[in-house]
Amino acid sequence: MLFNSYSFIFLFLPAICLGYQLLGRLRSRQASLSWIVLCSILFYGIWNPYNLAVILPSITVNYGLALLIRRSNARGESGQRAASWLLTTGILFNLVVLGYFKYKNFFLDSLNLAVGTQFELTAVMLPLGISFITFQKIAFLLDVRAETVKDFDLYDFLVFVFFFPQLIAGPIVHYREMMPQFEQLNYRFCGRDVAVGLSLFAMGLFKKVVLADGVAVHVGPAFSAAEQGQSLDFFAAWMGALAYTFQIYFDFSGYSDMAIGLARLFGIRLPVNFNSPLKASSIIDFWARWHITLTRFLTAYIYTPVVMALTRRRMQAGRPVLGRGPAHPGAFAVLTVFPTILTMFVSGFWHGAGFTFVIWGLLHGAYLCINHAWRQWRPKWDKQRYERVMKPLGFVLTFTAVVVGMVWFRARNVSGALEMLQAMAGWHGASLPDALMARLGAAAGWLEHLGIHGGMSSGSEFVACAAWLLLLFLVALLAPNSLELLRHFEPALHYVPPKPAKPARGVAAELPKRALPALQFNLPWAALTALAFVLGAFGLNRVSEFLYWQF
């Protein structure tokens, strides 16, 4: 069951809210949480009970391992070795389960291509949200081993895993940040939480159904043509790549808003997972804003341990390390480039079983290494001058790099991605619809002089796509995001509102400053929320699905 469906919005959600409200009268934490767990299991399994047949045994194994790890930790030094072996077993178990369901055919197909074997590829149904659930369970075992999580039981563990707002597509949460909130549950709906939750859900539904699904029709034709070996022109390729960038941007942004809003209905704050990444002026800043909880997980459990281990080894050998004197190229290669490439390789492979996802991850790893190298060895300019010049230039470079990366993320195969990128580089020329060229007058001759000719493509479709892209670009870049609008109400865990701009000097100080708008609980706010919900609900009758849950 997906959030953008009539069955969820008009059947499941009212039912779980009504039951929660009625059970709240009993003032029983166990009754309220039992209702949430039962409804969440129904939410996960109603589309296909097969999902439960996979996830329930996995949960049982993980819970049993967590108990054994906790018991080994309690034995002091004598139990540390056993606890480490149990942790390793748990991680391998989760990775094997994920590998079978998500990567089995990819590995067999790659083996067939590499050495000529004839392994048969059989269809394997991918359980909903298995990638997110796997990382969440691994994080739980790691926290138990580190003794940052000590007190837990099966009842709380089920709540942690099955809480439906974050069940199928994140955010990736930690036990220690969620369970204290469930322990302090109010049992009854709070008007403030309901208002914030409904606002976020309505805005998320609008982003997903109206914005993401609205531009989706301009994505398929370009990528399908490239994958079939057809030559695309410059504008068609760029418009297709930009359309997909904005589609997945508002798809993921909308899902994140809906997930946070649904949890807030029950007084639970999920961690922030999306914070206007297209406004980033560097690729490092982009990854601090895009899929924030995944970045947090990969940094905490892969990047940082690798860097610390390599740093200790280099220090013991008397070799240069970072942070002590001028940056050394060898230390940078070992302590920044290698861990970054490894981490982003895992990120790419986690997103999907295909070479295009691996290339996407490695490409972003290269982006990050270049960005880190620039920070280490960039010219020591005046800070104000640097901000004035590099911030807009950094935005253009980052935006372009992200769009190029999204081509690999969307393409079904390597050849299709290369065809798209060649067209975006202008290898196949550029053309505008004949109908549009005829209306440009003298400018048409100037464009033809530049090598841009008329084509047989539809002028109305070209204009419609261009209008969509311009609108979404302005919304993504200029409009405050949902969390900024609701910043006075602590909309998400770990969300830090943007700081007010520093007072300007000189003539600019005389210009009026526009404050960042914030929603207030009043009639205009209610009307806008209702309008966003109605527009989103009316769009549910067309084909629509979340992109990000597939990864």
Side-chain angles (χ1 to χ4, degrees):
M1 189 184 303
L2 297 177
F3 295 162
N4 57 320
S5 64
Y6 287 121
S7 57
F8 176 83
I9 295 174
F10 297 109
L11 290 177
F12 177 84
L13 187 58
I16 188 173
C17 290
L18 179 61
Y20 184 79
Q21 179 72 10
L22 294 175
L23 288 171
R25 299 178 182 276
L26 302 177
R27 306 295 299 173
S28 169
R29 176 178 179 272
Q30 186 172 3
S32 298
L33 291 184
S34 295
W35 176 250
I36 291 176
V37 170
L38 289 174
C39 290
S40 296
I41 291 175
L42 176 65
F43 168 83
Y44 187 73
I46 193 170
W47 177 61
N48 191 338
Y50 167 82
N51 292 317
L52 291 175
V54 173
I55 201 65
L56 288 176
S58 175
I59 288 175
T60 303
V61 171
N62 276 273
Y63 181 70
L65 287 169
L67 290 177
L68 293 174
I69 292 172
R70 183 174 65 178
R71 185 180 303 170
S72 298
N73 284 339
R75 287 160 44 196
E77 292 185 9
S78 61
Q80 296 305 302
R81 186 181 181 87
S84 296
W85 276 108
L86 288 166
L87 173 63
T88 302
T89 301
I91 293 173
L92 290 176
F93 169 79
N94 284 292
L95 293 179
V96 166
V97 172
L98 178 64
Y100 174 79
F101 287 102
K102 192 169 184 176
Y103 302 106
K104 174 193 167 216
N105 284 338
F106 171 73
F107 285 132
L108 292 180
D109 187 45
S110 299
L111 193 61
N112 289 342
L113 290 174
V115 299
T117 53
Q118 299 294 324
F119 288 110
E120 182 180 357
L121 305 183
T122 57
V124 178
M125 184 173 291
L126 185 66
L128 286 175
I130 189 170
S131 297
F132 293 90
I133 295 172
T134 298
F135 270 17
Q136 198 159 303
K137 290 183 296 187
I138 289 175
F140 175 74
L141 293 177
L142 287 164
D143 289 343
V144 174
R145 176 66 184 92
E147 298 188 76
T148 55
V149 172
K150 296 181 179 180
D151 298 324
F152 60 89
D153 55 30
L154 179 59
Y155 190 77
D156 288 341
F157 184 64
L158 290 175
V159 174
F160 167 68
V161 173
F162 274 117
F163 187 47
F164 75 93
Q166 50 82 42
L167 182 56
I168 60 173
I172 301 170
V173 298
H174 289 282
Y175 187 92
R176 61 182 182 273
E177 67 187 0
M178 296 304 298
M179 293 319 298
Q181 296 187 66
F182 283 108
E183 290 172 2
Q184 299 170 9
L185 211 60
N186 195 29
Y187 313 112
R188 301 287 295 276
F189 285 117
C190 166
R192 178 188 177 95
D193 288 337
V194 170
V196 173
L198 290 178
S199 296
L200 284 168
F201 185 83
M203 286 187 280
L205 184 67
F206 178 85
K207 288 179 185 179
K208 165 57 191 164
V209 176
V210 178
L211 300 184
D213 291 346
V215 77
V217 295
H218 302 291
V219 175
F223 281 91
S224 296
E227 287 156 10
Q228 293 168 13
Q230 301 176 20
S231 295
L232 292 171
D233 70 82
F234 177 82
F235 291 111
W238 269 102
M239 292 174 84
L242 286 168
Y244 180 70
T245 300
F246 289 123
Q247 181 196 7
I248 196 168
Y249 178 89
F250 286 103
D251 181 280
F252 191 25
S253 176
Y255 175 85
S256 298
D257 285 348
M258 283 190 274
I260 292 172
L262 290 168
R264 189 60 179 266
L265 292 177
F266 302 92
I268 302 298
R269 289 191 300 143
L270 293 178
V272 58
N273 204 32
F274 196 91
N275 190 17
S276 297
L278 290 186
K279 295 179 181 178
S281 57
S282 71
I283 205 70
I284 294 175
D285 187 26
F286 173 84
W287 277 102
R289 295 165 173 261
W290 175 279
H291 210 330
I292 297 169
T293 58
L294 175 63
T295 301
R296 177 181 68 173
F297 179 94
L298 295 174
T299 301
Y301 298 120
I302 297 179
Y303 181 84
T304 300
V306 170
V307 170
M308 292 179 65
L310 292 174
T311 299
R312 286 194 296 267
R313 184 176 299 177
R314 289 182 67 86
M315 290 178 67
Q316 291 171 358
R319 295 177 180 175
V321 296
L322 297 177
R324 295 187 177 184
H328 188 275
F332 180 82
V334 174
L335 301 180
T336 298
V337 174
F338 172 71
T340 300
I341 295 295
L342 174 64
T343 302
M344 294 311 297
F345 168 79
V346 173
S347 175
F349 201 49
W350 175 84
H351 276 90
F355 289 111
T356 54
F357 290 106
V358 172
I359 293 172
W360 172 81
L362 293 175
L363 182 62
H364 271 272
Y367 290 161
L368 289 165
C369 291
I370 293 170
N371 198 171
H372 282 296
W374 172 256
R375 290 189 173 187
Q376 286 283 353
W377 290 291
R378 70 187 182 191
K380 303 302 181 183
W381 294 343
D382 174 77
K383 184 177 181 181
Q384 290 186 347
R385 179 189 172 196
Y386 181 85
E387 289 288 324
R388 185 170 61 252
V389 174
M390 291 306 301
K391 194 164 186 179
L393 180 58
F395 163 76
V396 173
L397 291 173
T398 302
F399 185 84
T400 304
V402 168
V403 175
V404 170
M406 285 301 179
V407 171
W408 291 102
F409 202 78
R410 170 60 174 79
R412 308 294 184 197
N413 50 56
V414 173
S415 61
L418 291 175
E419 180 64 36
M420 279 287 292
L421 293 173
Q422 289 174 4
M424 291 166 68
W427 285 21
H428 306 312
S431 65
L432 292 173
D434 287 327
L436 182 60
M437 290 287 282
R439 288 172 169 79
L440 294 179
W446 180 71
L447 290 174
E448 289 183 353
H449 181 72
L450 293 175
I452 301 174
H453 304 285
M456 299 298 294
S457 56
S458 169
S460 59
E461 290 184 7
F462 183 93
V463 172
C465 182
W468 260 114
L469 295 179
L470 177 60
L471 172 65
L472 297 181
F473 180 82
L474 294 175
V475 171
L477 269 294
L478 301 180
N481 62 41
S482 308
L483 301 181
E484 290 171 339
L485 289 173
L486 291 163
R487 64 188 182 277
H488 296 323
F489 306 101
E490 300 180 68
L493 207 60
H494 312 312
Y495 173 68
V496 179
K499 296 180 180 179
K502 295 182 179 179
R505 296 180 179 180
V507 177
E510 305 300 325
L511 299 176
K513 301 299 179 185
R514 295 184 61 186
L516 185 68
L519 287 180
Q520 302 294 332
F521 292 159
N522 52 29
L523 186 59
W525 158 80
L528 287 173
T529 300
L531 178 62
F533 177 80
V534 170
L535 292 174
F538 278 146
L540 292 177
N541 57 359
R542 60 186 175 186
V543 176
S544 173
E545 65 174 352
F546 282 118
L547 295 178
Y548 224 86
W549 74 267
Q550 303 173 71
F551 308 123

